[in-house]
Amino acid sequence: MESGKPTPPVSPVLVILLGILAVSTASIFIRFAQAEAHSLVIAASRLTIASLILAPITLPRHGGVIRSLTARETSLGVLSGLFLAIHFATWITSLAYTSVTSSIVLVQTMPLWVAIMAPIFLREPIGRRVVTGLALALAGGLIVSLADSCQLAAGSLDCRGWAELVRGDAFIGNLLALAGAISGGAYLIIGKSLRLKLPTLPYIFIVYGVAALALLAAMVAYGYSPLGYSPVIYVWFVLLALVPQLLGHSSFNWALGYLPAAVVSITFLGEPIGTIILAAVLLNERPSMVKLTGAFLILAGIYISSRQPAGKRGSRRKPGDTTKE
C-alpha cells in the first residue's frame, strides 16, 4: 500500500474478493433471465435499476459537480455511456448463443483492446509485454471459439467443418462477446480523462444513466417490452443491478482509494474463474480441457499486458492520481 494513504476500515483485499464473487454472478443471472426476457430487456433493466438506485445517493451530494461539467466533458460522458450500452447489449446477447465460459473469457479481453487503442487515442506506447500478452490472448480466444465447434478425440482435433463453424450459433455468440470487449475498451478509453476530473460516484451515475437510456431506446425500437414476465424474472433483473453492477463494481471502485489502480484492475481477471465455477455448479456446464486451455492463455495474456503499463506509469504518477480514478 502506498505511503500517505488513509487506513482502510476493512482490508481492501477482502473487499476485492467480495467484488469478484459479485461480478461473477452476472452471467448466471443473465442465463436465468433469458428464459423469458430478451437480451436488450435484460441489459436495459440492469442499467435502469442501477441508475435509479444511484440517483437519490448521487444527486444530493454531487449535483453541483454534474451541473458544472463543460460541454466537452458532457459529450465525453454521453459517448462513454453509449459504448457501455453497446458493451452490455452485445455481451448479454452473446450468452444466448454461446456458453457462459466462452462469453465471459472473450469479453475479458477488454484490457487488451484498451492496450491497442491507448497509443492511438491516449498516446500511451505499447511495450513488448503488451504485445506478448496480446498474442497469447488472441491464441486463447481462437481456442475458445474452436472449442464450441470442435472436439478433442483420440489425440486429434475433430471439427465439423469451417462452413458450419462460421454459421454456427456459438460462433455468432463468440463474435458478440468479442464486440462487447472492444466496446468496453472504447468506454474505458473515452472515459479515462473524465474520470480523472470527477469523483467515482457521479461518473458512474452519468455513464450508467446514458447507457440505460440508450438501451431503453433500443429495446423500444426493436419492439420489446419490460412488462409481462414472470415475477422471478424481475427478481433476476433486480439481482443483476444490485449484485454484479452495484455491489461488485462498487467494491472495486472503493478499493481504488486504498490500492493502486493497476492492482485493482488485475483483480478483474478473477471474474472468468468465478463464472466458470458457478456455471459448472449451477448450470451443470462443464468446460472441456480445450476450452480451459484457451481460457488460461487469455488470462495469462491479460495479466502480462496489464502489468507492463502499470510499471511504466508508476514512476511518473503524480500524487493523488490513484485516488482520482
Side-chain angles (χ1 to χ4, degrees):
M1 188 172 300
E2 297 179 7
S3 60
K5 292 292 182 183
T7 301
V10 296
S11 170
V13 175
L14 294 178
V15 175
I16 285 175
L17 289 176
L18 174 64
I20 291 174
L21 290 176
V23 297
S24 297
T25 62
S27 299
I28 309 300
F29 292 160
I30 290 168
R31 271 294 183 89
F32 289 143
Q34 284 176 332
E36 295 184 24
H38 187 271
S39 299
L40 276 176
V41 178
I42 297 172
S45 300
R46 170 178 177 168
L47 270 298
T48 300
I49 295 172
S51 300
L52 291 175
I53 294 174
L54 285 172
I57 302 173
T58 305
L59 293 178
R61 297 174 56 188
H62 301 284
V65 174
I66 295 175
R67 289 190 295 270
S68 66
L69 292 176
T70 65
R72 180 179 181 276
E73 291 168 345
T74 301
S75 299
L76 286 175
V78 171
L79 192 58
S80 183
L82 290 176
F83 273 110
L84 183 61
I86 296 173
H87 164 71
F88 277 116
T90 53
W91 170 55
I92 292 177
T93 303
S94 75
L95 292 167
Y97 294 92
T98 190
S99 67
V100 168
T101 303
S102 297
S103 177
I104 196 63
V105 171
L106 286 170
V107 81
Q108 282 297 307
T109 62
M110 183 169 59
L112 295 178
W113 297 106
V114 172
I116 293 174
M117 290 184 278
I120 302 173
F121 299 102
L122 300 177
R123 297 181 182 179
E124 294 178 351
I126 298 179
R128 286 181 295 179
R129 287 192 179 184
V130 173
V131 175
T132 302
L134 179 60
L136 283 174
L138 290 179
L142 179 61
I143 292 174
V144 170
S145 298
L146 290 174
D148 282 313
S149 298
C150 303
Q151 294 180 345
L152 187 62
S156 62
L157 192 62
D158 180 22
C159 295
R160 298 190 297 254
W162 284 106
E164 184 176 349
L165 174 63
V166 174
R167 292 196 302 265
D169 286 347
F171 184 78
I172 295 174
N174 292 336
L175 287 180
L176 287 170
L178 195 59
I182 297 173
S183 56
Y187 146 70
L188 291 177
I189 290 291
I190 295 171
K192 181 176 179 180
S193 60
L194 185 58
R195 291 187 67 182
L196 293 175
K197 300 176 182 178
L198 279 176
T200 302
L201 195 58
Y203 170 77
I204 291 176
F205 174 71
I206 292 171
V207 174
Y208 284 13
V210 171
L213 291 175
L215 289 168
L216 286 171
M219 180 187 69
V220 173
Y222 280 94
Y224 297 108
S225 171
L227 304 177
Y229 301 112
S230 303
V232 68
I233 300 300
Y234 294 102
V235 172
W236 298 128
F237 290 168
V238 173
L239 286 176
L240 274 168
L242 290 176
V243 182
Q245 195 67 43
L246 293 178
L247 178 60
H249 287 273
S250 294
S251 297
F252 294 123
N253 291 324
W254 177 87
L256 282 172
Y258 303 98
L259 296 175
V263 174
V264 178
S265 67
I266 291 174
T267 63
F268 276 91
L269 306 183
E271 181 179 353
I273 299 174
T275 303
I276 288 173
I277 294 173
L278 289 173
V281 174
L282 300 179
L283 301 179
N284 197 30
E285 187 175 287
R286 301 292 191 266
S288 65
M289 287 304 300
V290 174
K291 188 171 292 186
L292 289 176
T293 300
F296 173 80
L297 289 175
I298 290 179
L299 294 180
I302 297 175
Y303 176 73
I304 292 172
S305 297
S306 62
R307 288 186 63 194
Q308 192 267 351
K312 285 194 172 183
R313 287 195 301 264
S315 60
R316 298 194 301 267
R317 185 182 290 123
K318 297 179 182 180
D321 279 357
T322 299
T323 57
K324 288 181 183 179
E325 292 182 357

